[in-house]
Amino acid sequence: MADEQSIRSYEALAEQEINDDQHAFSHHTQALNQIESVGDDAQDIRQHRYDCILNICDLYILQHKITLANVFIGKALQMAYDLQEQDKIAQCLDRRGEIKRLESDLDGALLDHNQSIEIKLKTNANEGLNIADSYGNVGNIYHEQGKYEDALLMYEKSLKIKLIAHGDNHPSIARVYCSMGSAYKNQGKYDDAISMYENSLKIELPVLGYNHPNIANTYNNMGIIYRHQCKYRDAISIYEKSLKIQLSTLGDNHPYVAGTYNNIGNVYNDQRKYDDAIGMYEKSLKINLSVHGDNHPITAATYLSIGSIYNDQGKYDDALSIFKKSLKIQSSKLGDNHPNVATTYYSIGVVNGNQGKFDDAISMYEKSLKIQLSAFGDNHPNIADTYEKMGNVSAYKSKYNDAISLYERAISIFVNAHLENHPNLANVYDNIANCYDKQNRYDEATAMRERSDAIRSNLQQLDTMNQSQASQDLVAAEDDMISDLSSKFDQPKQSEKTLNLRRDNDIHEQQSKNQEKQYFNAYIQALKQGSCKNKIIRAMYTGPQYVGKSSIMKVFTHQRLITSQDPTQIVDQSNKMVHLKVYKIKDRTTYNVRQIWENNVHQIVQLQYESQINNQQISKLIHSQTKTQNLIIADQDQIAIQSTIGDEDIMDKTSKLSHALIKSTDNNLFLQQCRDFFQYYYPSWLNKTTDDSQYAKIWDFGGHSIYHVTHQPFLSGNSIYILVFNISQKIHEKVQTRDGYPLNITYLQSIQEWLTSIIGSNGNHDKIIANIDNDQVQYSLPIVILVASHGDYMSSKQQGIDRFIKFERELRTNMPCYNSNIYSSRIIFNCNPDDDSDVILAEREQCSLRLHEIMKSFVQSLPFMCNPIPIRWYIIATILHTPLNSKDGEVVSSIINHVRATRVHKIMTVQQIKLLAKDFGLYESDNELIAMLNYLHDLGEIIFCQKSSQYGMVVTDVDWLLHVFRAIIQLQDCPSGSLEIQSLYEEASQTGKISTKYINYVFGPFELDDETKKSIVNLMETYDILCSIQSDNDQDECHYFVPYLLRPDVKSFDLSQYHVSELLYIGYEHKDIPYIPDGIYYCLLASCLKEWNNTKIELYYQCAKFYLTNNRYYIIIRKDNTHIALQYCYQKLVDPSSINFMESMVQTSIYKNRPHDIVKQKLSSLINDRMPKFKGAIARNYVRCNKCSNLTFIEDRNEPHGGNLIQCQNQICNMLFESQSMIDWMYLKPERDNGKLNHQLTNSSSIITINI
């Protein structure tokens, strides 16, 4: 029959177009149309119709056109039932199961495939090929459910049948190998997986050719393994092969293409090429949304990939949002126990950890781990990663043994999975080493780091081997270039002079290129191992307000003195640098910190460059001697030719070696960025000599007491401090303004504030030997150089010296524990701006020379100046420091500008700095990164606050932060205009509280986004510069507690209507901590505010009154010079029963709640945290002797009545005295029976009436 022949011809054409979906679909459709036109219901026609419908369904399944596939499988299944042919019904059930699998209806798919198997078993087809396919289909379902062992069991059943039926080289067997490879891959058994994929390719390539979707799928799977093995170049290469096949055979809107885009994005993500990764993920997402919609597991997987980029970029809220979206899809479609769900839990845990939400992170990791252990068993690399993350959280919480245990579990998994050279394993070894460091197990820490270094060395060698082909290509390109140059000699003859000139120019040009190439190679080498000694230190001018610090700084840095100069606000980062090796009296040279860093980079690279040149010369010499011995019998011309060839050969080998080194670091350093940075530095290196100079960077601290609490972020233990005092004032006198107005603080107190803040905040107990005037003396760090101002007020030089000696004596007496930190220079500056006489100018020069010599002697002895600083630190510092716009005619590199514009922000997390360093090949380890940030903080280039979050906060623009701080705490100039704003200013100065409106107002000129505002407030809270409190009246309006903003003239408390206790003092022995600074006191008030959790706090100068609502009394906390003084008070009542009740309630509260112990504990905690120099000092309670007024410390006691006698510890007094404080503060057992009193209070508190 012609029609039947036509149908068969279309079917034959469709078979021939098996690799071309579109043509096959066309021929099957034509065959079906021909059948429909025949209208014959003969058995063979019905068979042809069924076959065409099933084939079209298969094509739609391949194209992931699920709706159309469902239509055709419905038709085919109905025909199978009509024909009552069990094998056809089983076929259709297999197709429908595959469609359900693609729809993520895995349970439904499993039901269809099992029904198919049941039919085939009943028809005795269990040894046939059909049941082998069904076993494979069930295996695929188990695979997607994460049941890999069950999947492998099904695949092995399928393989056994197919091997019997087809032998070893049939395409269907290749597909089983591919499926088994995927199961092994997901189990982390990479060697087994690669073996399966290679078996598959051996079969498929001869049969299907290189341009078939099955081949692309196998390539994709191999690429995933290469990525897990960190063979990124191999992974990208094989993914690109896969993508090329898929685009040509499946089109650009197929889910397989989306999967490959996603896989390539994963590699870019691993390489920190985030823009490239996002590009790939967006391509993948576009296809998946088009094919699957927004509620499909494959779409969820793409969301997960994008979220991982947000996490790496520090966009944690965005990452969490998209992870939760992915989790919702996965849970609804895959169930709660699918491995993909575990991955999302893990990802959420990582973000929680980055945000410092450690309990949430652990919860997510545990959920992930539970699913992973169920799906993968005990030895999957994903489980190792989860153990590592859990270990990181334990380590951060100082649970080092728990952390080590988790890390060791991770190591066991990596080793069992034969991943001994995996970079994650190196990270685990580093983490264990860090824990050992914390436990002082230094030898074990060293052993761990050696293992880590060995892994990274092996990875580098492996990467170098992988780049051998690239090196050969480069050599070939260089040979072509040499050939092109040689062809120039075939031009017509020119004059000998012209030829010589051209030859000289060519030689010079080639030499320049060779030199630049050698410098670049030296630069790459230096990035890995180059360093030089630190050359910069900060010199900080400190001291009371109005003593002339700024004037002395100007004299020392050769600046003009100004009459009535404005006082320094908080800190002035002067940007002045002083050359420490040579002090040039008339020198007006300005030293730029960036130029100094560039000089350091040049010095490091120059050493590497000279080392390379020396090695080449040695190689040439050896080579020349060898050539000479071999060519003795040759004539001179031949020897010259051979010698020239030998030199080129050596240069070629050197080029190859350097190229291999560069290529070996390609994955980490990103060669192009390295070249860009190199080009930024290289032009300035030519004709430059190395410089070993040292420099002091000058800072000027504001002395106003209002600024004391804000100084903490800017202090450093690795600095030199110049402490200035006014020689014309006595040490116990009040500090005076320029107009002679006395302030509330004495010079001694102000000096104590500075010394305690400077020395106490430094936990370094190191000592140095300094040689000054040939006198070697041991000093403690940090060093404080004592200098005097106002020498013009002294009638004679001797009077000034006598005053200076008296000042020294007072310091030794009042602050004995600081003696080893202080060097008394006896330098007295005359900084009268109206006196520029030759005598005074010469005197200033001599004072400056003397101060410079002292600073130089100390600096040369400091360990900080001897530490080797890696070249990487200078480059990162340059990136963070360099302004976007050029200044003073300097040319700013476009690459530096680009990086700053796109990657550097005024406030950054440590994680963001880490990613920046990684992206440009400047990251070595987390420990080194933290050390670098501490170094830059010590120099004042950044503010590094490690306590503000899990990883810490970095402010890259210190001047900007100072402007922000000044705007918040500077209240002298109340703005005109808005009465509301004026009232906010008035409220701050009268109450020591500021509102969010006030914060937003002062932030206005800075144009800050909400995240930056939040970061600034968080930073200030971390340093206790402010403390957030919730308003009683408006739950949405946050207020901040800033007691140092209170004006000194605010009236003191009126306690005439209160019963007031005797004072109890809290503090330390004079030899331990002679003074409690304002910063600690204000932090104590903030801490107590949080403890008692109410806003009913009243303030006046250095005094606060807290209301304890539940106990109906006030606690007063006052700063009393060297101690904290406590009182409590409660309202005076009229009714006797009310008086007794109130007295009993207060006494019971004091006895049971012991608020004085709470204050003492908080003071001790603050001292340990903010003043590590005094960590471990014991806080005590003191009472005042009523005989001599000295303070005597008391121990807790519970003695019978009459035991309030205490002996004064003043050796001169040594008298017994009665202490009412001990009675008031319940150090003695109260007369009333407490049980009876509590019973009375419980029964009467609800009905008592208090008459006032």
Side-chain angles (χ1 to χ4, degrees):
M1 291 176 57
D3 290 333
E4 186 174 346
Q5 290 176 356
S6 176
I7 293 168
R8 292 187 184 281
S9 67
Y10 285 131
E11 289 177 343
L13 286 170
E15 286 293 324
Q16 292 173 11
E17 302 291 350
I18 190 170
N19 291 347
D20 189 334
D21 293 347
Q22 294 301 320
H23 286 87
F25 177 79
S26 174
H27 293 312
H28 282 309
T29 303
Q30 291 179 44
L32 184 60
N33 290 338
Q34 192 71 30
I35 291 170
E36 300 293 349
S37 67
V38 170
D40 194 343
D41 201 29
Q43 180 72 18
D44 56 346
I45 294 297
R46 292 168 66 191
Q47 181 67 47
H48 287 312
R49 184 170 182 269
Y50 170 82
D51 290 340
C52 285
I53 290 174
L54 201 63
N55 287 331
I56 291 172
C57 175
D58 287 342
L59 289 172
Y60 281 136
I61 290 173
L62 182 63
Q63 295 172 350
H64 282 242
K65 295 179 179 179
I66 304 303
T67 302
L68 292 171
N70 264 320
V71 171
F72 277 84
I73 197 58
K75 291 180 180 181
L77 187 59
Q78 185 60 51
M79 288 188 67
Y81 281 124
D82 291 342
L83 292 170
Q84 296 184 354
E85 295 185 19
Q86 295 298 308
D87 60 329
K88 287 184 171 53
I89 294 173
Q91 279 183 328
C92 291
L93 288 172
D94 282 335
R95 274 21 173 232
R96 193 172 72 178
E98 177 63 10
I99 293 169
K100 288 181 179 179
R101 184 184 72 83
L102 294 175
E103 291 178 315
S104 296
D105 181 8
L106 300 183
D107 292 335
L110 194 58
L111 181 62
D112 281 343
H113 288 310
N114 282 330
Q115 283 184 342
S116 173
I117 291 175
E118 185 178 349
I119 291 171
K120 293 173 183 179
L121 289 173
K122 287 180 180 179
T123 58
N124 297 318
N126 58 310
E127 295 299 328
L129 294 174
N130 287 337
I131 198 168
D133 290 335
S134 292
Y135 285 142
N137 292 332
V138 172
N140 292 338
I141 303 300
Y142 285 145
H143 191 167
E144 292 213 15
Q145 290 178 324
K147 301 174 181 177
Y148 301 119
E149 289 298 332
D150 293 338
L152 283 168
L153 184 61
M154 290 295 109
Y155 293 148
E156 288 168 358
K157 285 186 177 183
S158 177
L159 181 63
K160 182 178 179 181
I161 296 170
K162 291 188 175 186
L163 285 171
I164 293 171
H166 293 307
D168 296 337
N169 292 308
H170 194 273
S172 65
I173 293 173
R175 286 193 290 275
V176 179
Y177 283 141
C178 195
S179 298
M180 295 176 72
S182 295
Y184 284 132
K185 173 195 69 182
N186 288 331
Q187 287 182 313
K189 299 176 180 178
Y190 298 133
D191 292 340
D192 293 338
I194 285 290
S195 176
M196 290 295 110
Y197 291 141
E198 289 174 346
N199 288 342
S200 176
L201 284 176
K202 286 177 184 177
I203 297 170
E204 288 185 318
L205 284 173
V207 177
L208 302 177
Y210 285 87
N211 199 42
H212 192 278
N214 287 2
I215 303 297
N217 184 51
T218 306
Y219 284 152
N220 238 318
N221 287 319
M222 296 176 75
I224 292 171
I225 292 176
Y226 290 145
R227 177 202 163 207
H228 284 307
Q229 294 176 324
C230 301
K231 300 176 181 177
Y232 298 128
R233 187 175 293 274
D234 292 340
I236 289 290
S237 176
I238 206 163
Y239 282 146
E240 288 174 347
K241 285 183 181 181
S242 176
L243 184 63
K244 183 177 179 181
I245 296 169
Q246 290 170 337
L247 289 172
S248 67
T249 58
L250 303 176
D252 59 3
N253 197 45
H254 194 279
Y256 290 173
V257 176
T260 305
Y261 282 139
N262 192 84
N263 290 341
I264 295 174
N266 290 339
V267 178
Y268 287 144
N269 189 2
D270 290 346
Q271 293 178 307
R272 302 294 188 267
K273 298 179 179 179
Y274 297 124
D275 291 341
D276 294 336
I278 284 288
M280 290 294 136
Y281 291 150
E282 287 176 346
K283 286 183 178 182
S284 176
L285 183 61
K286 182 180 179 180
I287 296 171
N288 287 329
L289 288 172
S290 171
V291 175
H292 301 300
D294 194 42
N295 195 35
H296 193 279
I298 293 178
T299 307
T302 310
Y303 285 140
L304 196 68
S305 298
I306 295 172
S308 68
I309 296 287
Y310 289 148
N311 175 60
D312 288 344
Q313 291 177 323
K315 301 175 181 177
Y316 300 129
D317 291 339
D318 293 338
L320 274 181
S321 175
I322 204 165
F323 285 157
K324 289 177 180 177
K325 184 175 185 178
S326 177
L327 181 64
K328 183 177 179 181
I329 298 170
Q330 291 169 332
S331 296
S332 65
K333 293 296 182 179
L334 304 177
D336 294 332
N337 294 310
H338 192 276
N340 288 8
V341 175
T343 300
T344 306
Y345 281 139
Y346 172 89
S347 300
I348 293 174
V350 172
V351 178
N352 290 149
N354 290 339
Q355 292 178 313
K357 301 174 181 177
F358 300 119
D359 292 338
D360 293 342
I362 285 292
S363 175
M364 290 297 107
Y365 292 145
E366 287 175 345
K367 286 183 178 181
S368 177
L369 187 62
K370 182 178 179 181
I371 299 171
Q372 289 172 332
L373 289 170
S374 174
F376 305 141
D378 297 334
N379 287 309
H380 194 280
N382 288 2
I383 295 174
D385 289 339
T386 306
Y387 281 139
E388 182 194 2
K389 292 297 184 184
M390 294 174 74
N392 292 345
V393 174
S394 295
Y396 187 82
K397 296 169 78 172
S398 300
K399 297 179 179 179
Y400 300 118
N401 289 331
D402 293 345
I404 291 170
S405 176
L406 289 163
Y407 292 145
E408 287 174 345
R409 290 188 190 181
I411 291 173
S412 176
I413 293 172
F414 280 119
V415 171
N416 290 337
H418 304 293
L419 297 173
E420 292 89 348
N421 284 318
H422 198 283
N424 286 6
L425 179 57
N427 294 337
V428 176
Y429 283 133
D430 280 337
N431 292 337
I432 294 178
N434 294 337
C435 290
Y436 284 152
D437 282 339
K438 295 292 185 181
Q439 295 176 321
N440 299 325
R441 297 160 65 180
Y442 301 116
D443 291 341
E444 292 167 277
T446 300
M448 289 296 111
R449 291 196 172 93
E450 288 173 353
R451 293 186 185 184
S452 173
D453 292 342
I455 291 172
R456 293 194 173 98
S457 176
N458 291 338
L459 286 172
Q460 184 174 348
Q461 292 174 10
L462 179 63
D463 198 41
T464 303
M465 293 169 60
N466 289 338
Q467 311 315 318
S468 60
Q469 185 60 48
S471 297
Q472 293 172 11
D473 293 343
L474 179 63
V475 171
E478 290 173 347
D479 290 342
D480 291 341
M481 180 185 70
I482 293 171
S483 251
D484 291 340
L485 289 173
S486 300
S487 66
K488 293 180 180 179
F489 292 100
D490 296 333
Q491 297 174 0
K493 287 187 177 181
Q494 301 178 30
S495 69
E496 184 176 351
K497 183 177 180 181
T498 302
L499 286 173
N500 289 337
L501 181 61
R502 171 173 288 183
R503 187 179 298 113
D504 290 343
N505 288 337
D506 288 344
I507 290 171
H508 177 73
E509 182 179 353
Q510 190 61 40
Q511 287 175 341
S512 297
K513 288 181 179 179
N514 288 340
Q515 184 186 40
E516 181 174 348
K517 185 175 181 179
Q518 289 170 331
Y519 262 114
F520 179 60
N521 293 340
Y523 173 76
I524 295 295
Q525 285 272 18
L527 283 178
K528 281 294 183 186
Q529 59 192 31
S531 64
C532 70
K533 288 184 179 180
N534 177 37
K535 297 180 181 179
I536 304 175
I537 192 170
R538 265 195 298 174
M540 318 263 233
Y541 281 80
T542 62
Q545 61 200 92
Y546 305 120
V547 296
K549 298 184 298 297
S550 299
S551 296
I552 291 178
M553 185 198 74
K554 286 182 178 296
V555 169
F556 188 65
T557 55
H558 318 299
Q559 300 177 70
R560 185 173 61 87
L561 291 174
I562 301 173
T563 303
S564 301
Q565 178 176 306
D566 291 335
T568 303
Q569 298 181 14
I570 304 180
V571 177
D572 176 21
Q573 189 185 196
S574 69
N575 293 321
K576 295 296 180 182
M577 307 279 287
V578 173
H579 197 293
L580 285 174
K581 288 208 169 182
V582 179
Y583 187 73
K584 302 174 182 178
I585 298 296
K586 303 296 183 183
D587 187 11
R588 295 293 186 269
T589 303
T590 57
Y591 301 98
N592 182 289
V593 66
R594 184 163 59 84
Q595 292 173 343
I596 295 170
W597 289 336
E598 289 176 10
N599 290 341
N600 293 346
V601 172
H602 168 250
Q603 178 180 341
I604 297 168
V605 175
Q606 184 68 28
L607 290 173
Q608 293 288 343
Y609 172 77
E610 291 172 359
S611 176
Q612 287 185 11
I613 296 299
N614 290 336
N615 290 339
Q616 288 178 12
Q617 290 174 345
I618 293 171
S619 298
K620 283 184 179 182
L621 179 61
I622 295 172
H623 183 82
S624 176
Q625 291 173 348
T626 304
K627 286 287 185 181
T628 302
Q629 292 173 0
N630 292 337
L631 298 173
I632 289 177
I633 59 174
D635 59 38
Q636 292 299 316
D637 292 336
Q638 186 66 22
I639 290 176
I641 293 171
Q642 293 294 334
S643 298
T644 303
I645 293 172
D647 291 346
E648 290 174 352
D649 183 55
I650 290 172
M651 288 300 295
D652 184 53
K653 289 180 180 178
T654 303
S655 172
K656 289 180 181 179
L657 179 63
S658 300
H659 181 74
L661 170 66
I662 294 168
K663 298 302 289 183
S664 72
T665 59
D666 189 42
N667 287 336
N668 296 318
L669 301 179
F670 302 115
L671 191 57
Q672 187 56 49
Q673 285 91 337
C674 287
R675 288 193 183 279
D676 289 337
F677 282 129
F678 171 75
Q679 290 300 331
Y680 165 68
Y681 288 110
Y682 179 65
S684 65
W685 291 348
L686 302 177
N687 302 319
K688 177 179 283 190
T689 58
T690 58
D691 179 17
D692 289 327
S693 301
Q694 294 176 325
Y695 303 87
K697 188 179 179 187
I698 307 299
W699 277 42
D700 178 17
F701 276 79
H704 291 63
S705 59
I706 193 175
Y707 300 139
H708 288 165
V709 75
T710 64
H711 287 153
Q712 186 69 25
F714 307 100
L715 296 176
S716 162
N718 289 314
S719 299
I720 294 287
Y721 290 88
I722 296 93
L723 182 60
V724 181
F725 69 95
N726 185 343
I727 196 75
S728 69
Q729 299 292 325
K730 295 179 180 179
I731 196 168
H732 293 288
E733 291 178 344
K734 298 285 187 181
V735 175
Q736 294 185 358
T737 66
R738 292 188 178 124
D739 299 327
Y741 179 78
L743 301 177
N744 288 349
I745 187 172
T746 68
Y747 281 101
L748 175 61
Q749 289 172 332
S750 184
I751 293 292
Q752 288 174 322
E753 283 283 340
W754 277 109
L755 287 175
T756 307
S757 297
I758 293 168
I759 298 172
S761 62
N762 176 35
N764 189 347
H765 294 278
D766 290 347
K767 297 182 182 297
I768 62 169
I769 302 294
N771 188 342
I772 302 176
D773 300 331
N774 295 320
D775 185 17
Q776 290 193 344
V777 179
Q778 186 180 74
Y779 290 88
S780 299
L781 298 181
I783 299 297
V784 180
I785 302 171
L786 199 61
V787 173
S789 64
H790 291 79
D792 48 311
Y793 282 77
M794 298 295 97
S795 59
S796 67
K797 186 175 182 180
Q798 188 57 48
Q799 183 191 14
I801 295 298
D802 292 342
R803 282 283 191 100
F804 208 121
I805 293 172
K806 187 175 182 180
F807 196 90
E808 295 171 3
R809 188 181 304 117
E810 291 285 355
L811 281 186
R812 288 198 307 269
T813 302
N814 287 279
M815 310 196 80
C817 58
Y818 300 152
N819 288 343
S820 63
N821 296 87
I822 301 173
Y823 177 83
S824 181
S825 69
R826 297 189 182 175
I827 298 172
I828 305 173
F829 277 91
N830 178 344
C831 296
N832 183 354
D834 299 325
D835 189 349
D836 285 335
S837 64
D838 291 341
V839 174
I840 295 302
L841 290 178
E843 182 182 313
R844 289 174 186 164
E845 290 175 359
Q846 289 302 313
C847 288
S848 296
L849 277 169
R850 176 61 178 161
L851 179 57
H852 177 272
E853 189 63 29
I854 294 169
M855 290 173 58
K856 175 182 174 181
S857 298
F858 278 119
V859 167
Q860 290 175 345
S861 305
L862 291 176
F864 182 65
M865 300 302 289
C866 301
N867 293 334
I869 306 300
I871 186 176
R872 296 181 295 276
W873 296 13
Y874 295 124
I875 298 172
I876 294 176
T878 300
I879 294 172
L880 298 178
H881 175 272
T882 304
L884 291 175
N885 300 315
S886 59
K887 293 182 179 180
D888 303 324
E890 296 176 2
V891 178
V892 180
S893 164
S894 60
I895 181 61
I896 298 288
N897 263 348
H898 175 72
V899 174
R900 278 192 60 83
T902 57
R903 302 291 298 276
V904 178
H905 314 289
K906 287 181 168 57
I907 295 184
M908 301 176 70
T909 64
V910 174
Q911 185 74 359
Q912 289 172 320
I913 301 285
K914 177 179 176 178
L915 294 175
L916 177 67
K918 279 189 171 183
D919 287 349
F920 295 98
L922 303 171
Y923 173 80
E924 184 68 18
S925 68
D926 283 355
N927 286 343
E928 192 203 54
L929 183 74
I930 297 301
M932 179 202 72
L933 294 174
N934 280 319
Y935 169 72
L936 294 180
H937 178 93
D938 287 334
L939 296 186
E941 288 302 312
I942 64 170
I943 300 300
F944 175 37
C945 179
Q946 287 184 268
K947 299 184 292 184
S948 62
S949 66
Q950 178 186 2
Y951 296 106
M953 182 185 298
V954 177
V955 180
T956 63
D957 191 334
V958 177
D959 280 333
W960 168 83
L961 183 67
L962 284 168
H963 287 311
V964 174
F965 278 11
R966 288 172 188 138
I968 291 176
I969 71 172
Q970 189 65 279
L971 297 175
Q972 282 89 335
D973 300 320
C974 186
S976 59
S978 169
L979 294 182
E980 180 182 23
I981 298 302
Q982 291 183 22
S983 68
L984 293 177
Y985 268 72
E986 185 66 19
E987 177 189 15
S989 63
Q990 290 291 327
T991 67
K993 302 174 189 175
I994 57 177
S995 66
T996 303
K997 287 182 181 178
Y998 171 84
I999 291 283
N1000 289 333
Y1001 174 77
V1002 297
F1003 279 166
F1006 297 97
E1007 299 181 350
L1008 307 177
D1009 57 45
D1010 290 341
E1011 192 63 30
T1012 304
K1013 291 179 185 178
K1014 183 179 177 182
S1015 296
I1016 293 173
V1017 171
N1018 180 37
L1019 183 70
M1020 296 181 78
E1021 286 202 84
T1022 301
Y1023 283 111
D1024 297 309
I1025 297 172
L1026 51 77
C1027 171
S1028 61
I1029 53 178
Q1030 191 67 45
S1031 170
D1032 292 334
N1033 300 321
D1034 186 355
Q1035 294 302 312
D1036 296 326
E1037 175 71 7
C1038 184
H1039 282 70
Y1040 299 94
F1041 182 55
V1042 281
Y1044 51 88
L1045 293 186
L1046 199 73
R1047 285 208 303 258
D1049 58 356
V1050 173
K1051 292 182 180 179
S1052 61
F1053 306 140
D1054 179 8
L1055 300 178
S1056 60
Q1057 300 299 315
Y1058 294 87
H1059 290 287
V1060 182
S1061 76
E1062 287 295 316
L1063 288 166
L1064 179 71
Y1065 298 89
I1066 301 174
Y1068 295 83
E1069 287 296 280
H1070 189 69
K1071 62 181 177 59
D1072 295 330
I1073 303 179
Y1075 184 82
I1076 295 176
D1078 286 353
I1080 293 294
Y1081 170 69
Y1082 292 134
C1083 293
L1084 177 64
L1085 297 186
S1087 184
C1088 289
L1089 181 66
K1090 294 175 183 176
E1091 173 71 24
W1092 290 316
N1093 194 29
N1094 73 73
T1095 58
K1096 291 184 179 180
I1097 177 173
E1098 300 175 47
L1099 299 172
Y1100 77 91
Y1101 182 67
Q1102 294 195 335
C1103 189
K1105 185 171 72 170
F1106 295 87
Y1107 182 59
L1108 275 62
T1109 306
N1110 295 333
N1111 301 297
R1112 301 183 187 179
Y1113 67 89
Y1114 293 88
I1115 290 288
I1116 299 171
I1117 304 178
R1118 179 184 292 112
K1119 184 164 183 265
D1120 189 72
N1121 196 9
T1122 60
H1123 291 75
I1124 302 297
L1126 299 184
Q1127 278 181 303
Y1128 63 84
C1129 63
Y1130 55 91
Q1131 191 172 355
K1132 291 180 179 178
L1133 304 176
V1134 176
D1135 181 71
S1137 62
S1138 299
I1139 293 172
N1140 291 334
F1141 173 80
M1142 179 65 77
E1143 180 182 352
S1144 298
M1145 182 174 67
V1146 171
Q1147 286 182 350
T1148 302
S1149 175
I1150 296 293
Y1151 185 74
K1152 286 190 171 183
N1153 299 326
R1154 301 186 71 79
H1156 46 299
D1157 284 348
I1158 292 174
V1159 176
K1160 182 170 69 172
Q1161 185 274 328
K1162 290 189 174 298
L1163 176 63
S1164 180
S1165 178
L1166 284 168
I1167 292 291
N1168 287 338
D1169 182 48
R1170 293 178 61 99
M1171 304 184 72
K1173 189 83 169 183
F1174 308 123
K1175 189 172 184 178
I1178 299 173
R1180 302 177 185 272
N1181 292 332
Y1182 294 81
V1183 295
R1184 192 172 295 281
C1185 175
N1186 53 28
K1187 307 292 185 183
C1188 68
S1189 296
N1190 279 343
L1191 292 180
T1192 292
F1193 77 82
I1194 56 175
E1195 301 292 346
D1196 288 351
R1197 36 174 114 175
N1198 191 14
E1199 299 177 359
H1201 183 65
N1204 61 331
L1205 284 176
I1206 187 169
Q1207 187 169 20
C1208 179
Q1209 292 163 357
N1210 181 1
Q1211 294 181 358
I1212 297 175
C1213 176
N1214 203 30
M1215 300 289 290
L1216 287 171
F1217 64 94
E1218 292 184 343
S1219 172
Q1220 182 63 35
S1221 293
M1222 294 179 65
I1223 297 173
D1224 288 349
W1225 289 94
M1226 297 291 112
Y1227 274 86
L1228 305 177
K1229 188 175 182 179
E1231 294 182 17
R1232 287 181 175 83
D1233 180 70
N1234 281 305
K1236 182 177 179 181
L1237 178 61
N1238 287 336
H1239 179 73
Q1240 177 185 347
L1241 290 175
T1242 302
N1243 292 329
S1244 62
S1245 59
S1246 60
I1247 60 172
I1248 190 168
T1249 301
I1250 300 177
N1251 298 316
I1252 302 176

